[in-house]
Coordinates of all heavy atoms in Angstrom, one line a residue:
D1 N 102.0 -61.2 -112.1 CA 103.2 -62.0 -111.8 C 104.1 -61.9 -113.0 O 103.7 -61.8 -114.2 CB 102.9 -63.4 -111.6 CG 102.3 -63.7 -110.2 OD1 102.8 -63.0 -109.2 OD2 101.4 -64.5 -110.1
I2 N 105.4 -61.9 -112.7 CA 106.4 -62.0 -113.8 C 106.5 -63.4 -114.3 O 106.5 -64.4 -113.6 CB 107.8 -61.4 -113.2 CG1 107.6 -60.0 -112.8 CG2 108.8 -61.6 -114.3 CD1 108.8 -59.4 -112.1
Y3 N 106.7 -63.5 -115.6 CA 106.6 -64.8 -116.3 C 107.6 -65.9 -115.7 O 107.1 -67.0 -115.4 CB 106.8 -64.6 -117.8 CG 106.8 -65.9 -118.6 CD1 105.5 -66.5 -118.9 CD2 107.9 -66.6 -118.9 CE1 105.5 -67.7 -119.5 CE2 107.9 -67.8 -119.6 CZ 106.6 -68.3 -119.9 OH 106.5 -69.5 -120.6
I4 N 108.8 -65.6 -115.6 CA 109.8 -66.6 -115.2 C 109.6 -67.0 -113.8 O 109.5 -68.3 -113.6 CB 111.2 -66.1 -115.5 CG1 111.5 -66.0 -117.0 CG2 112.3 -67.1 -114.8 CD1 112.8 -65.5 -117.4
P5 N 109.4 -66.2 -112.8 CA 109.1 -66.6 -111.5 C 107.9 -67.5 -111.4 O 107.8 -68.4 -110.7 CB 109.1 -65.4 -110.6 CG 109.9 -64.4 -111.4 CD 109.7 -64.7 -112.8
K6 N 106.9 -67.0 -112.2 CA 105.6 -67.8 -112.2 C 105.8 -69.2 -112.7 O 105.3 -70.2 -112.2 CB 104.6 -67.0 -113.0 CG 103.2 -67.6 -113.0 CD 102.3 -66.7 -113.8 CE 100.9 -67.4 -113.9 NZ 100.0 -66.5 -114.7
Q7 N 106.6 -69.3 -113.8 CA 106.8 -70.6 -114.4 C 107.7 -71.5 -113.4 O 107.4 -72.7 -113.3 CB 107.5 -70.5 -115.7 CG 106.6 -69.9 -116.8 CD 105.4 -70.7 -117.0 OE1 105.4 -71.9 -117.2 NE2 104.2 -70.1 -117.0
R8 N 108.7 -70.9 -112.8 CA 109.5 -71.6 -111.8 C 108.6 -72.2 -110.7 O 108.7 -73.4 -110.3 CB 110.5 -70.8 -111.2 CG 111.8 -70.6 -112.0 CD 113.0 -70.2 -111.2 NE 112.7 -69.3 -110.1 CZ 112.8 -68.0 -110.1 NH1 113.2 -67.4 -111.2 NH2 112.5 -67.2 -109.1
K9 N 107.7 -71.4 -110.2 CA 106.8 -71.8 -109.1 C 105.9 -72.9 -109.6 O 105.7 -73.9 -108.9 CB 106.0 -70.6 -108.6 CG 105.1 -71.0 -107.4 CD 104.4 -69.7 -106.9 CE 103.5 -70.1 -105.7 NZ 102.8 -68.9 -105.2
Q10 N 105.3 -72.8 -110.8 CA 104.4 -73.8 -111.3 C 105.1 -75.1 -111.5 O 104.4 -76.2 -111.3 CB 103.8 -73.3 -112.7 CG 102.9 -74.2 -113.3 CD 102.3 -73.7 -114.6 OE1 102.5 -72.5 -115.0 NE2 101.7 -74.5 -115.4
H11 N 106.3 -75.1 -111.9 CA 107.0 -76.4 -112.2 C 108.0 -76.8 -111.1 O 108.8 -77.7 -111.3 CB 107.8 -76.2 -113.5 CG 106.9 -76.0 -114.7 ND1 106.1 -76.9 -115.3 CD2 106.6 -74.8 -115.4 CE1 105.4 -76.4 -116.3 NE2 105.7 -75.2 -116.4
L12 N 107.9 -76.2 -110.0 CA 108.6 -76.5 -108.8 C 110.2 -76.4 -109.1 O 110.9 -77.3 -108.7 CB 108.2 -77.9 -108.2 CG 106.8 -78.1 -107.9 CD1 106.5 -79.5 -107.5 CD2 106.3 -77.1 -106.8
I13 N 110.6 -75.4 -109.7 CA 112.0 -75.2 -110.1 C 112.6 -74.2 -109.1 O 112.1 -73.1 -109.0 CB 112.1 -74.7 -111.5 CG1 111.6 -75.8 -112.5 CG2 113.6 -74.4 -111.9 CD1 111.5 -75.4 -113.9
N14 N 113.7 -74.5 -108.5 CA 114.4 -73.6 -107.6 C 115.6 -72.9 -108.4 O 116.2 -73.6 -109.2 CB 114.9 -74.3 -106.4 CG 113.8 -74.8 -105.5 OD1 112.8 -74.1 -105.3 ND2 114.0 -76.0 -105.0
S15 N 115.8 -71.7 -108.1 CA 117.0 -71.0 -108.6 C 118.2 -71.4 -107.8 O 118.1 -71.5 -106.6 CB 116.8 -69.5 -108.6 OG 115.8 -69.2 -109.5
L16 N 119.4 -71.5 -108.4 CA 120.6 -71.7 -107.7 C 121.4 -70.4 -107.8 O 121.6 -69.8 -108.8 CB 121.4 -72.8 -108.4 CG 120.8 -74.2 -108.4 CD1 121.7 -75.2 -109.1 CD2 120.5 -74.6 -107.0
V17 N 121.9 -69.9 -106.6 CA 122.6 -68.7 -106.6 C 124.1 -69.0 -106.8 O 124.6 -70.1 -106.5 CB 122.4 -67.9 -105.2 CG1 121.0 -67.6 -105.0 CG2 122.9 -68.8 -104.1
I18 N 124.8 -68.0 -107.3 CA 126.2 -68.0 -107.4 C 126.8 -67.3 -106.1 O 126.6 -66.0 -106.1 CB 126.8 -67.4 -108.7 CG1 126.2 -68.1 -109.9 CG2 128.3 -67.4 -108.7 CD1 126.4 -67.5 -111.2
D19 N 127.3 -68.0 -105.2 CA 127.8 -67.4 -104.0 C 129.3 -67.8 -103.7 O 129.9 -68.4 -104.6 CB 126.9 -67.8 -102.8 CG 126.8 -69.3 -102.5 OD1 127.6 -70.0 -103.1 OD2 126.0 -69.7 -101.8
E20 N 129.8 -67.4 -102.6 CA 131.2 -67.7 -102.3 C 131.5 -69.2 -102.3 O 132.6 -69.6 -102.8 CB 131.5 -67.2 -100.9 CG 131.5 -65.7 -100.8 CD 130.2 -65.1 -100.5 OE1 129.2 -65.9 -100.3 OE2 130.1 -63.8 -100.4
N21 N 130.5 -70.0 -101.9 CA 130.7 -71.5 -101.9 C 130.9 -72.0 -103.4 O 131.7 -72.8 -103.7 CB 129.6 -72.2 -101.2 CG 130.0 -73.6 -100.8 OD1 131.1 -74.0 -100.7 ND2 128.9 -74.4 -100.7
T22 N 130.0 -71.4 -104.2 CA 130.1 -71.8 -105.7 C 131.5 -71.4 -106.2 O 132.1 -72.2 -106.9 CB 129.0 -71.1 -106.5 OG1 127.7 -71.3 -105.9 CG2 129.0 -71.6 -107.9
I23 N 131.9 -70.2 -105.9 CA 133.2 -69.8 -106.4 C 134.3 -70.6 -105.9 O 135.3 -70.9 -106.6 CB 133.4 -68.3 -106.1 CG1 132.3 -67.4 -106.7 CG2 134.8 -67.8 -106.5 CD1 132.2 -67.6 -108.2
S24 N 134.2 -71.1 -104.6 CA 135.3 -72.0 -104.1 C 135.4 -73.3 -105.0 O 136.5 -73.8 -105.2 CB 135.0 -72.4 -102.7 OG 133.9 -73.3 -102.5
Y25 N 134.3 -73.8 -105.5 CA 134.3 -74.9 -106.4 C 135.0 -74.5 -107.7 O 135.8 -75.2 -108.3 CB 132.9 -75.5 -106.7 CG 132.4 -76.3 -105.6 CD1 131.6 -75.8 -104.6 CD2 132.6 -77.7 -105.6 CE1 131.1 -76.6 -103.6 CE2 132.1 -78.5 -104.6 CZ 131.3 -77.9 -103.6 OH 130.8 -78.7 -102.6
L26 N 134.7 -73.3 -108.2 CA 135.2 -72.8 -109.4 C 136.7 -72.7 -109.4 O 137.4 -73.1 -110.3 CB 134.6 -71.4 -109.8 CG 134.9 -70.8 -111.1 CD1 134.5 -71.7 -112.2 CD2 134.3 -69.4 -111.2
I27 N 137.2 -72.2 -108.3 CA 138.7 -72.0 -108.1 C 139.4 -73.4 -108.2 O 140.5 -73.5 -108.7 CB 139.0 -71.3 -106.8 CG1 138.5 -69.9 -106.9 CG2 140.4 -71.4 -106.4 CD1 138.5 -69.1 -105.5
N28 N 138.8 -74.4 -107.7 CA 139.4 -75.7 -107.6 C 139.1 -76.6 -108.8 O 139.6 -77.7 -108.9 CB 139.0 -76.5 -106.4 CG 139.5 -75.8 -105.1 OD1 140.6 -75.4 -105.0 ND2 138.6 -75.5 -104.2
L29 N 138.4 -76.1 -109.8 CA 138.1 -76.9 -111.0 C 139.4 -77.0 -111.9 O 140.1 -76.0 -112.1 CB 137.1 -76.3 -111.9 CG 135.6 -76.6 -111.6 CD1 134.8 -75.9 -112.7 CD2 135.3 -78.1 -111.5
P30 N 139.7 -78.2 -112.4 CA 140.8 -78.3 -113.3 C 140.5 -77.6 -114.6 O 139.3 -77.5 -115.0 CB 141.0 -79.9 -113.5 CG 139.7 -80.5 -113.1 CD 139.1 -79.5 -112.1
P31 N 141.5 -77.1 -115.3 CA 141.3 -76.3 -116.5 C 141.0 -77.2 -117.7 O 141.7 -77.1 -118.7 CB 142.6 -75.5 -116.6 CG 143.6 -76.4 -116.0 CD 142.9 -77.1 -114.9
L32 N 139.9 -78.0 -117.7 CA 139.6 -78.9 -118.8 C 138.7 -78.2 -119.8 O 138.5 -78.7 -120.9 CB 138.9 -80.2 -118.2 CG 139.8 -80.9 -117.2 CD1 138.9 -82.1 -116.7 CD2 141.1 -81.4 -117.8
H33 N 138.1 -77.1 -119.4 CA 137.0 -76.5 -120.2 C 137.1 -75.0 -120.0 O 137.2 -74.6 -118.9 CB 135.7 -77.1 -119.8 CG 134.6 -76.8 -120.8 ND1 134.7 -76.7 -122.1 CD2 133.2 -76.7 -120.6 CE1 133.6 -76.5 -122.7 NE2 132.6 -76.5 -121.8
K34 N 137.0 -74.2 -121.1 CA 137.2 -72.8 -121.0 C 135.9 -72.0 -120.9 O 135.9 -70.8 -120.7 CB 138.1 -72.2 -122.1 CG 139.5 -72.7 -122.0 CD 140.4 -72.2 -123.0 CE 141.8 -72.7 -122.9 NZ 142.7 -72.2 -123.9
D35 N 134.8 -72.6 -121.2 CA 133.5 -71.9 -121.3 C 133.0 -71.6 -119.9 O 132.8 -72.5 -119.0 CB 132.4 -72.8 -121.9 CG 131.1 -72.1 -122.1 OD1 130.5 -71.7 -121.1 OD2 130.6 -72.1 -123.2
P36 N 132.9 -70.3 -119.5 CA 132.6 -69.9 -118.1 C 131.3 -70.3 -117.7 O 131.1 -70.7 -116.5 CB 132.8 -68.4 -118.1 CG 132.7 -68.0 -119.6 CD 133.2 -69.1 -120.4
F37 N 130.3 -70.3 -118.6 CA 128.9 -70.8 -118.2 C 128.9 -72.3 -117.8 O 128.4 -72.7 -116.8 CB 127.9 -70.4 -119.2 CG 126.5 -70.8 -118.9 CD1 125.8 -70.0 -118.0 CD2 125.9 -71.9 -119.4 CE1 124.5 -70.3 -117.6 CE2 124.6 -72.2 -119.0 CZ 123.9 -71.4 -118.1
D38 N 129.6 -73.1 -118.7 CA 129.7 -74.5 -118.4 C 130.4 -74.8 -117.1 O 130.0 -75.7 -116.4 CB 130.4 -75.2 -119.6 CG 129.5 -75.4 -120.8 OD1 128.3 -75.0 -120.7 OD2 130.0 -75.8 -121.8
R39 N 131.4 -74.0 -116.8 CA 132.2 -74.2 -115.6 C 131.3 -73.9 -114.4 O 131.4 -74.6 -113.4 CB 133.4 -73.4 -115.6 CG 134.5 -73.9 -116.6 CD 135.7 -73.0 -116.7 NE 136.4 -72.9 -115.5 CZ 137.3 -73.7 -115.0 NH1 137.6 -74.8 -115.6 NH2 137.9 -73.5 -113.8
L40 N 130.4 -72.9 -114.5 CA 129.5 -72.6 -113.4 C 128.5 -73.7 -113.2 O 128.1 -74.1 -112.1 CB 128.8 -71.3 -113.6 CG 129.6 -70.1 -113.3 CD1 128.9 -68.8 -113.6 CD2 130.0 -70.0 -111.8
L41 N 128.0 -74.3 -114.3 CA 127.1 -75.5 -114.3 C 127.8 -76.6 -113.6 O 127.2 -77.3 -112.7 CB 126.7 -75.9 -115.7 CG 125.7 -75.0 -116.4 CD1 125.5 -75.5 -117.8 CD2 124.4 -74.9 -115.7
I42 N 129.0 -76.9 -113.9 CA 129.8 -77.9 -113.2 C 129.9 -77.7 -111.7 O 129.7 -78.6 -110.9 CB 131.2 -78.1 -113.9 CG1 131.0 -78.6 -115.3 CG2 132.1 -79.0 -113.1 CD1 132.2 -78.5 -116.2
C43 N 130.2 -76.4 -111.4 CA 130.3 -76.0 -110.0 C 129.0 -76.3 -109.2 O 129.0 -76.8 -108.1 CB 130.7 -74.6 -109.8 SG 132.4 -74.3 -110.3
H44 N 127.9 -75.9 -109.8 CA 126.6 -76.1 -109.2 C 126.3 -77.6 -109.0 O 125.8 -78.1 -108.0 CB 125.5 -75.4 -109.9 CG 125.3 -74.0 -109.5 ND1 125.2 -73.0 -110.4 CD2 125.2 -73.4 -108.3 CE1 125.1 -71.8 -109.8 NE2 125.1 -72.1 -108.5
A45 N 126.7 -78.4 -110.0 CA 126.5 -79.9 -110.0 C 127.3 -80.4 -108.8 O 126.8 -81.3 -108.1 CB 126.9 -80.5 -111.3
L46 N 128.5 -80.0 -108.6 CA 129.3 -80.5 -107.5 C 128.8 -80.0 -106.2 O 128.7 -80.7 -105.2 CB 130.8 -80.0 -107.7 CG 131.5 -80.7 -108.9 CD1 132.8 -79.9 -109.1 CD2 131.8 -82.1 -108.6
Q47 N 128.4 -78.7 -106.1 CA 128.0 -78.1 -104.9 C 126.7 -78.7 -104.4 O 126.5 -79.0 -103.2 CB 127.8 -76.6 -105.1 CG 127.4 -75.8 -103.9 CD 127.2 -74.3 -104.2 OE1 127.4 -73.9 -105.3 NE2 126.9 -73.6 -103.2
Y48 N 125.8 -79.0 -105.3 CA 124.4 -79.5 -104.9 C 124.2 -81.0 -105.2 O 123.1 -81.5 -105.1 CB 123.3 -78.6 -105.5 CG 123.4 -77.2 -105.0 CD1 123.9 -76.2 -105.8 CD2 122.8 -76.9 -103.8 CE1 123.9 -74.9 -105.4 CE2 122.9 -75.6 -103.3 CZ 123.4 -74.6 -104.1 OH 123.4 -73.3 -103.7
N49 N 125.3 -81.7 -105.6 CA 125.2 -83.1 -106.0 C 124.1 -83.3 -107.0 O 123.2 -84.2 -106.9 CB 124.9 -83.9 -104.7 CG 125.2 -85.4 -105.0 OD1 126.1 -85.7 -105.8 ND2 124.5 -86.3 -104.3
L50 N 124.2 -82.6 -108.1 CA 123.2 -82.7 -109.2 C 123.8 -83.5 -110.4 O 125.0 -83.6 -110.6 CB 122.9 -81.3 -109.7 CG 122.3 -80.3 -108.7 CD1 122.1 -78.9 -109.2 CD2 120.9 -80.9 -108.2
M51 N 122.9 -84.0 -111.2 CA 123.3 -84.7 -112.4 C 123.3 -83.7 -113.6 O 122.5 -82.8 -113.7 CB 122.3 -85.8 -112.7 CG 122.7 -86.6 -114.0 SD 121.5 -87.9 -114.4 CE 121.6 -88.9 -112.9
I52 N 124.3 -83.8 -114.5 CA 124.4 -83.0 -115.7 C 124.0 -83.9 -116.9 O 124.5 -85.0 -117.0 CB 125.8 -82.5 -115.9 CG1 126.2 -81.5 -114.8 CG2 125.9 -81.8 -117.3 CD1 127.6 -80.9 -114.9
V53 N 123.1 -83.4 -117.7 CA 122.7 -84.1 -118.9 C 123.3 -83.4 -120.1 O 123.1 -82.2 -120.3 CB 121.1 -84.0 -119.1 CG1 120.7 -84.7 -120.4 CG2 120.4 -84.7 -117.9
T54 N 124.3 -84.1 -120.8 CA 125.0 -83.4 -121.8 C 125.6 -84.4 -122.8 O 125.7 -85.6 -122.5 CB 126.2 -82.6 -121.2 OG1 126.8 -81.9 -122.2 CG2 127.2 -83.5 -120.5
E55 N 126.0 -83.9 -123.9 CA 126.8 -84.7 -124.9 C 128.2 -84.0 -125.1 O 128.9 -84.4 -126.0 CB 126.1 -84.8 -126.2 CG 124.8 -85.7 -126.1 CD 124.2 -85.9 -127.5 OE1 124.6 -85.3 -128.5 OE2 123.2 -86.6 -127.5
D56 N 128.4 -83.0 -124.3 CA 129.6 -82.2 -124.5 C 130.8 -82.9 -123.9 O 130.9 -83.1 -122.6 CB 129.4 -80.8 -123.7 CG 130.6 -79.8 -123.9 OD1 131.7 -80.3 -124.1 OD2 130.3 -78.6 -123.9
N57 N 131.8 -83.3 -124.7 CA 132.9 -84.1 -124.3 C 133.8 -83.3 -123.3 O 134.4 -83.9 -122.4 CB 133.7 -84.6 -125.5 CG 133.0 -85.7 -126.2 OD1 132.3 -86.5 -125.6 ND2 133.2 -85.7 -127.5
A58 N 133.8 -82.0 -123.4 CA 134.6 -81.2 -122.5 C 134.1 -81.3 -121.1 O 134.8 -81.5 -120.1 CB 134.7 -79.8 -122.9
I59 N 132.8 -81.3 -120.9 CA 132.1 -81.4 -119.6 C 132.2 -82.8 -119.1 O 132.5 -83.1 -118.0 CB 130.6 -81.0 -119.7 CG1 130.6 -79.5 -120.0 CG2 129.9 -81.3 -118.4 CD1 129.2 -78.9 -120.1
L60 N 132.1 -83.8 -120.0 CA 132.2 -85.2 -119.6 C 133.6 -85.6 -119.1 O 133.7 -86.6 -118.5 CB 131.8 -86.1 -120.8 CG 130.4 -86.1 -121.3 CD1 130.2 -86.8 -122.6 CD2 129.5 -86.6 -120.2
S61 N 134.6 -84.8 -119.4 CA 135.9 -85.1 -119.0 C 136.2 -84.8 -117.5 O 137.2 -85.1 -116.9 CB 137.0 -84.4 -119.8 OG 136.8 -83.0 -119.7
Y62 N 135.2 -84.1 -116.8 CA 135.4 -83.7 -115.4 C 135.2 -84.9 -114.5 O 134.2 -85.6 -114.7 CB 134.5 -82.5 -115.0 CG 135.1 -81.2 -115.4 CD1 134.8 -80.7 -116.7 CD2 135.9 -80.5 -114.6 CE1 135.3 -79.5 -117.1 CE2 136.5 -79.3 -115.0 CZ 136.1 -78.8 -116.2 OH 136.7 -77.6 -116.6
P63 N 136.1 -85.1 -113.5 CA 135.9 -86.1 -112.5 C 134.8 -85.8 -111.5 O 134.5 -84.6 -111.3 CB 137.2 -86.3 -111.9 CG 137.8 -84.9 -112.0 CD 137.3 -84.3 -113.3
N64 N 134.3 -86.7 -110.8 CA 133.4 -86.6 -109.6 C 132.1 -86.0 -110.0 O 131.4 -85.4 -109.1 CB 134.1 -85.7 -108.6 CG 135.4 -86.3 -108.1 OD1 135.5 -87.5 -107.9 ND2 136.4 -85.4 -108.0
L65 N 131.6 -86.1 -111.2 CA 130.3 -85.6 -111.6 C 129.4 -86.8 -112.0 O 129.9 -87.8 -112.5 CB 130.4 -84.7 -112.8 CG 131.0 -83.3 -112.5 CD1 131.1 -82.5 -113.8 CD2 130.2 -82.5 -111.5
F66 N 128.1 -86.6 -111.9 CA 127.2 -87.6 -112.4 C 126.6 -87.1 -113.8 O 126.2 -85.9 -113.8 CB 126.0 -87.8 -111.5 CG 126.4 -88.6 -110.2 CD1 126.7 -87.9 -109.1 CD2 126.6 -90.0 -110.3 CE1 127.1 -88.6 -107.9 CE2 127.0 -90.6 -109.1 CZ 127.3 -89.9 -108.0
F67 N 126.6 -87.9 -114.8 CA 126.2 -87.5 -116.1 C 125.1 -88.4 -116.7 O 125.1 -89.6 -116.4 CB 127.4 -87.6 -117.1 CG 128.5 -86.7 -116.8 CD1 129.7 -87.3 -116.3 CD2 128.5 -85.4 -117.0 CE1 130.8 -86.5 -116.0 CE2 129.6 -84.6 -116.7 CZ 130.7 -85.2 -116.2
L68 N 124.3 -87.9 -117.5 CA 123.4 -88.6 -118.3 C 123.7 -88.2 -119.7 O 123.5 -87.0 -120.0 CB 121.9 -88.4 -117.9 CG 120.9 -89.2 -118.6 CD1 121.1 -90.7 -118.3 CD2 119.5 -88.8 -118.3
C69 N 124.1 -89.1 -120.6 CA 124.4 -88.7 -121.9 C 123.9 -89.7 -122.9 O 123.7 -90.9 -122.6 CB 125.9 -88.4 -122.1 SG 126.9 -89.9 -122.0
K70 N 123.8 -89.3 -124.1 CA 123.2 -90.2 -125.2 C 124.4 -90.7 -126.0 O 125.3 -90.0 -126.5 CB 122.3 -89.4 -126.1 CG 121.6 -90.2 -127.1 CD 120.7 -89.4 -127.9 CE 120.0 -90.2 -129.0 NZ 119.1 -89.3 -129.9
N71 N 124.4 -92.0 -126.2 CA 125.4 -92.7 -127.0 C 124.7 -93.5 -128.0 O 124.1 -94.5 -127.8 CB 126.3 -93.7 -126.1 CG 127.3 -94.4 -126.9 OD1 127.5 -94.1 -128.0 ND2 128.0 -95.3 -126.2
N72 N 124.6 -92.9 -129.2 CA 123.8 -93.5 -130.3 C 122.4 -93.4 -129.9 O 121.8 -92.3 -129.8 CB 124.3 -94.8 -130.8 CG 125.7 -94.9 -131.3 OD1 126.1 -93.9 -132.0 ND2 126.4 -95.9 -131.1
T73 N 121.7 -94.5 -129.6 CA 120.3 -94.5 -129.2 C 120.1 -94.8 -127.7 O 119.0 -94.9 -127.2 CB 119.5 -95.5 -130.0 OG1 120.1 -96.8 -129.9 CG2 119.5 -95.1 -131.5
Q74 N 121.2 -95.0 -127.0 CA 121.1 -95.4 -125.5 C 121.4 -94.2 -124.7 O 122.2 -93.3 -125.0 CB 122.1 -96.5 -125.2 CG 121.9 -97.8 -125.9 CD 122.9 -98.8 -125.5 OE1 124.1 -98.5 -125.2 NE2 122.5 -100.0 -125.5
L75 N 120.8 -94.1 -123.5 CA 121.1 -93.1 -122.5 C 122.0 -93.8 -121.5 O 121.7 -94.9 -121.0 CB 119.9 -92.6 -121.8 CG 119.0 -91.7 -122.7 CD1 117.7 -91.3 -121.9 CD2 119.8 -90.4 -123.1
L76 N 123.1 -93.2 -121.2 CA 124.1 -93.8 -120.3 C 124.2 -92.9 -119.0 O 124.3 -91.7 -119.1 CB 125.4 -93.9 -121.0 CG 125.4 -94.7 -122.3 CD1 126.8 -94.6 -123.0 CD2 125.1 -96.2 -122.1
L77 N 124.3 -93.6 -117.9 CA 124.5 -92.8 -116.6 C 126.0 -93.1 -116.2 O 126.4 -94.2 -116.1 CB 123.6 -93.4 -115.6 CG 123.7 -92.8 -114.2 CD1 123.5 -91.3 -114.2 CD2 122.8 -93.5 -113.2
F78 N 126.7 -92.0 -115.9 CA 128.1 -92.0 -115.4 C 128.1 -91.4 -114.1 O 127.4 -90.4 -113.8 CB 129.0 -91.3 -116.4 CG 129.1 -91.9 -117.8 CD1 128.3 -91.4 -118.8 CD2 129.9 -93.0 -118.1 CE1 128.3 -91.9 -120.0 CE2 130.0 -93.5 -119.3 CZ 129.2 -93.0 -120.3
G79 N 129.1 -91.8 -113.3 CA 129.3 -91.2 -112.0 C 130.0 -92.0 -111.0 O 130.4 -93.1 -111.2

């Protein structure tokens, strides 16, 4: 077995594809952040109703997302 697929299976992790639906979210994202990888993460969070765990203020500025972030010693849930 190949290492990454084996680990995904062992830990019950599914891969998310980048498809036309994902790109439709990308087209409609406001230009608040220029990092293309982060923008794809945001699209997947919107597409699949996922939570983002981050301290990145640029990502935290997006509306309609659920976040878990650390504020000093507390974990805060936004959404």
